[in-house]
Amino acid sequence: MLYLIGLGLGDAKDITVKGLEVIKQCSRVYLEAYTSILTVGKEALEEFYGKELILADRETVEQEADTILKGAHQCDVAFLVVGDPFGATTHSDLVLRAVKLGVPYRVIHNASILNAVGCCGLQLYNFGEVVSVVFWTDTWKPESFYDKIAKNRRNGMHTLCLLDIKVKEQSLENLMKGKKIYEPPRYMSVNQAAEQLLAIVQNRRLQGEEPEIAENTVCVGLARVGAADQKIASGTLQEMTTVALGDPLHSLIITGTLHPLELDMLKLFAVDKSIFEHMAE
């Protein structure tokens, strides 16, 4: 059996009882290590689970999936995913490969950023399409995520922005030379995401548009959701460029139409409460 097990969002203890029982019975346990991170490292997980973990990076999962599935007809193999196995990043490809090989599979779910964002007080059913915000480079500055946020706003919906993670990435030079030298990990902050959004807003104005999003649009910055040191800050998009949220992982929400109850909740995390008091008038 192949087990896809969600680890939750905080630390080693966020595993479900069912998930922990399965891990202990598995012959091999892989830890997916490229779409998200926990606040604790691999060693802390190994100590709590009582099992050695095999790190599975993007290359392993996408190009060597058969290695993970090898022998899964005769023994149990676990594939651990931070959050939920089918949350922010799905692992459908691994499931399809397992089915093709005749390997049965089972999913053990856990909390994901997609539902845990409710901690800021915004109603989950008021969210529209989730978007990913990628790191810009000097030569590549995509704006497609802005158009999705604008569409959500027109429909009165909030937008959860998942911020870019660069783990085990190669520079263009090393990639072209075939050198397996990797860049240091990078995790996009709320500040960086807000700056990129403001740049798009300014660019759209120069093109004669009246953007759906502006400097005073109400946003929510979240960091380390589910961890003991979780941090939430609500305020304008402009304020999100300077708010201090600390270590990764960060997420950003662009709000749509706000219900009075949602406004009251956002006041609890306000960078400047006067913004929300003015809106309530």
Side-chain angles (χ1 to χ4, degrees):
M1 178 82 77
L2 169 69
Y3 289 93
L4 292 95
I5 303 174
L7 300 184
L9 296 168
D11 56 30
K13 292 183 179 179
D14 278 4
I15 185 81
T16 62
V17 174
K18 189 183 291 182
L20 185 58
E21 287 174 349
V22 169
I23 287 172
K24 290 183 180 295
Q25 77 186 35
C26 285
S27 301
R28 296 195 313 280
V29 183
Y30 292 89
L31 174 62
E32 188 256 53
Y34 63 90
T35 61
S36 191
I37 55 168
L38 284 176
T39 55
V40 295
K42 171 174 171 276
E43 294 75 19
L45 296 180
E46 289 178 326
E47 184 179 350
F48 187 73
Y49 300 156
K51 278 281 185 178
E52 182 184 345
L53 303 182
I54 306 162
L55 282 180
D57 58 24
R58 187 185 297 274
E59 199 173 282
T60 304
V61 179
E62 292 180 355
Q63 298 173 24
E64 302 168 31
D66 291 346
T67 306
I68 296 171
L69 297 170
K70 188 176 180 181
H73 295 90
Q74 290 83 31
C75 63
D76 291 329
V77 176
F79 184 74
L80 312 184
V81 182
V82 175
D84 184 85
F86 294 98
T89 302
T90 69
H91 290 284
S92 304
D93 183 61
L94 189 60
V95 167
L96 291 171
R97 285 171 183 263
V99 171
K100 192 174 181 181
L101 293 169
V103 174
Y105 74 92
R106 186 178 169 198
V107 181
I108 300 175
H109 294 284
N110 208 320
S112 159
I113 190 62
L114 297 182
N115 54 35
V117 291
C119 64
C120 71
L122 296 177
Q123 300 294 326
L124 292 179
Y125 52 75
N126 289 340
F127 278 79
E129 183 178 354
V130 177
V131 307
S132 296
V133 182
V134 298
F135 278 114
W136 279 356
T137 68
D138 292 337
T139 56
W140 188 61
K141 296 183 178 182
E143 297 186 2
S144 56
F145 64 90
Y146 166 85
D147 296 315
K148 292 179 180 179
I149 296 170
K151 182 181 177 184
N152 283 342
R153 286 268 298 174
R154 284 192 293 272
N155 292 327
M157 310 300 280
H158 311 314
T159 307
L160 170 61
C161 302
L162 302 177
L163 308 187
D164 205 0
I165 295 173
K166 296 289 187 190
V167 177
K168 209 174 179 183
E169 297 276 337
Q170 292 175 273
S171 68
L172 186 59
E173 184 183 353
N174 286 327
L175 193 63
M176 290 174 72
K177 290 180 178 177
K179 292 182 179 178
K180 294 220 169 183
I181 300 170
Y182 302 100
E183 300 293 295
R186 288 193 298 150
Y187 306 96
M188 183 180 284
S189 68
V190 160
N191 307 143
Q192 291 168 306
E195 284 168 4
Q196 287 187 188
L197 260 172
L198 283 174
I200 296 171
V201 168
Q202 289 159 12
N203 189 35
R204 296 298 171 102
R205 284 191 184 127
L206 289 172
Q207 294 172 23
E209 286 184 36
E210 186 54 48
E212 291 285 339
I213 303 163
E215 288 79 0
N216 64 349
T217 297
V218 174
C219 299
V220 186
L222 306 100
R224 300 170 304 284
V225 173
D229 63 345
Q230 166 182 299
K231 196 153 187 183
I232 304 170
S234 60
T236 65
L237 179 57
Q238 189 67 56
E239 286 173 329
M240 291 298 113
T241 64
T242 55
V243 68
L245 292 174
D247 293 334
L249 292 173
H250 289 194
S251 301
L252 176 66
I253 299 169
I254 314 298
T255 65
T257 303
L258 288 162
H259 184 277
L261 193 63
E262 291 179 311
L263 274 173
D264 286 342
M265 283 296 293
L266 291 187
K267 283 181 194 175
L268 300 178
F269 312 110
V271 175
D272 179 0
K273 282 187 170 58
S274 65
I275 294 164
F276 296 100
E277 285 160 8
H278 174 71
M279 291 179 70
E281 290 173 0

